Amino acid sequence: MIAVVTPALVALGPLALLLVMAIVFAETGLLVGFFLPGDSLLFIIGALVASHVVHLPLWTVAAGVVLAAAAGDQVGYLIGHRWGPRIFARPDSRLFRQEHVAVAEEFFLRHGPVAVIAARFVPVVRTFTPVVAGVAMMPRRRFTIYNVVGALAWGIGIVVAGFFFGGLAFVAHHIELIAIALALLSLVPAATTVVRARRHRTPAASCDGAQSGGVQVRDVSVSP
């Protein structure tokens, strides 16, 4: 995916920011963005700004990413708060898998509300954690605070990292190869989380989830 997106960013120039914002929003706001290259995408746009391929101020790009990330999580939370159980009861498809929701649930249960921040840096998990938070009835104000903090840390941190490393000649000359490497590297935390989730899920819990027709979000300490 990133190998396709990177040439598009180069061709779009300043308009590349709009494409990046759309992808960042879709990754958490549309429930189908788990396959999108969030981390590597932010690094690449930062590198393209540093190499003057995208003629935009760094702060503009970072602000756009933070705005899209926060908005996406907010929509994901609202979806989970209002329609989560109904959505989770859906059968698996190419764009939705119960296993992904289960992984996000395990992540949320392990880390509590702080998972809203930590999930930003874990592909797949960041797509469904806002929804799980909504289903768990995490207070909206508290979720919004964690959401904004996570968006700032993720959006600014990775974009700025791409900007500074993008100034290196090697990075500038091998931008697509590095993008693919980053995309593969970003899957490591997600794979680790999947393995841990499978290891901690008991056969009885899996059976209960199957009988209820979807993933059940257990009690989580999310009081104001």
Side-chain angles (χ1 to χ4, degrees):
M1 182 69 179
I2 191 64
V4 175
V5 173
T6 301
L9 296 178
V10 174
L12 286 171
L15 293 178
L17 177 58
L18 298 180
L19 176 59
V20 171
M21 291 177 65
I23 292 176
V24 168
F25 175 84
E27 192 173 19
T28 56
L30 301 182
L31 302 187
V32 295
F34 59 87
F35 61 89
L36 296 173
D39 298 321
S40 52
L41 179 67
L42 301 196
F43 185 92
I44 293 303
I45 190 65
L48 293 177
V49 171
S51 58
H52 304 291
V53 174
V54 174
H55 296 282
L56 286 173
L58 179 63
W59 71 266
T60 300
V61 174
V65 169
V66 169
L67 178 62
D73 262 27
Q74 219 51 45
V75 171
Y77 171 87
L78 291 175
I79 290 174
H81 189 74
R82 296 183 181 180
W83 304 291
R86 187 185 311 171
I87 293 174
F88 290 174
R90 294 188 308 172
D92 286 350
S93 65
R94 292 182 61 184
L95 297 179
F96 179 86
R97 296 186 64 83
Q98 294 286 348
E99 181 182 14
H100 294 157
V101 181
V103 170
E105 180 195 14
E106 292 289 344
F107 191 86
F108 190 80
L109 290 171
R110 186 181 307 115
H111 298 285
V114 179
V116 177
I117 298 175
R120 284 286 184 191
F121 300 88
V122 185
V124 179
V125 173
R126 68 168 158 260
T127 298
F128 295 100
T129 294
V131 184
V132 172
V135 174
M137 299 300 174
M138 182 177 181
R140 183 177 300 182
R141 181 177 180 181
R142 190 175 188 185
F143 173 84
T144 301
I145 293 173
Y146 281 90
N147 174 24
V148 171
V149 171
L152 288 168
W154 183 67
I156 295 177
I158 300 183
V159 170
V160 170
F163 178 83
F164 284 108
F165 283 102
L168 301 177
F170 177 82
V171 176
H173 294 154
H174 300 85
I175 193 71
E176 292 187 12
L177 181 62
I178 291 175
I180 295 174
L182 287 172
L184 294 175
L185 186 62
S186 68
L187 294 177
V188 174
T192 302
T193 303
V194 169
V195 172
R196 287 178 177 175
R198 288 180 174 178
R199 187 173 299 174
H200 285 85
R201 291 179 70 196
T202 63
S206 299
C207 182
D208 291 341
Q211 291 176 354
S212 62
V215 175
Q216 300 296 317
V217 179
R218 296 179 289 279
D219 183 39
V220 182
S221 177
V222 291
S223 58

